[in-house]
Amino acid sequence: MKFSLVDNLPATRRKFEALSRRFAKNQKKAMLATVLQAETIIKQRTAQGKDVNGNPFKRYSDSYSSFRAKAGRSRTPNLMFSGRMLNSMKVKASKTKGVLFFSRAEESRKAAFNNRTRRFFDLSKKELSRLHKVYFRRLTSER
């Protein structure tokens, strides 16, 4: 019996190095895409009146609910009155870190206050899993 082994280590090494270069090139773009997706998830969920666990937000107090009605706003909790708080949500990204924050101090305080009663500024395990997929797809893309 006769056999031979062929080593394709040089070709494998070239492919690995090309993949490493692609990862390095795409890291910041992947992180930015991921943080932007997180922002979208939070805004969409909040507009639906749901907290991080998918449960409906706690009802507004009777006095605040009346105030909203007089102002022509919905009595259903969705954390939207003027739109300034959610619109001040911004993102920053580097190769290793993505940050979702509120650009104005006043809106940041409102968000912190609202988040104590109606936990909106967070991500569930399912949402984090979705974000991992976004990051990896973008990291490995050839664009």
Side-chain angles (χ1 to χ4, degrees):
M1 178 188 282
K2 200 174 183 187
F3 69 91
S4 65
L5 292 173
V6 178
D7 179 358
N8 67 351
L9 189 58
T12 303
R13 182 175 287 133
R14 281 192 302 276
K15 286 183 180 183
F16 180 76
E17 288 169 355
L19 192 60
S20 293
R21 283 190 300 275
R22 185 184 313 157
F23 281 6
K25 183 181 112 186
N26 290 345
Q27 271 183 306
K28 186 173 180 179
K29 292 176 191 175
M31 187 62 73
L32 182 59
T34 304
V35 179
L36 286 168
Q37 183 66 41
E39 176 187 28
T40 299
I41 288 169
I42 290 171
K43 285 182 176 181
Q44 287 176 344
R45 183 178 7 93
T46 302
Q48 294 170 0
K50 294 181 180 177
D51 68 11
V52 67
N53 299 314
N55 299 320
F57 283 141
K58 178 182 173 190
R59 292 173 22 98
Y60 289 134
S61 68
D62 290 337
S63 60
Y64 187 65
S65 186
S66 297
F67 168 74
R68 286 180 63 88
K70 287 177 188 171
R73 303 289 192 253
S74 166
R75 290 177 175 226
T76 304
N78 63 2
L79 308 185
M80 180 69 78
F81 190 84
S82 68
R84 287 190 301 254
M85 181 183 75
L86 292 176
N87 286 333
S88 77
M89 203 181 295
K90 303 294 180 215
V91 300
K92 274 200 292 193
S94 69
K95 285 184 170 189
T96 58
K97 182 173 152 182
V99 181
L100 183 57
F101 63 99
F102 294 91
S103 61
R104 297 181 61 227
E106 179 184 347
E107 307 310 325
S108 183
R109 281 192 296 275
K110 271 195 250 182
F113 176 79
N114 280 315
N115 203 49
R116 276 185 249 137
T117 310
R118 297 169 187 89
R119 197 166 143 222
F120 76 100
F121 197 65
D122 201 351
L123 297 162
S124 68
K125 287 182 181 180
K126 184 178 178 181
E127 292 164 341
L128 287 171
S129 175
R130 191 170 144 199
L131 293 174
H132 284 122
K133 290 175 186 170
V134 167
Y135 181 77
F136 189 73
R137 255 193 325 270
R138 190 60 192 254
L139 186 65
T140 59
S141 74
E142 294 189 35
R143 292 192 265 160

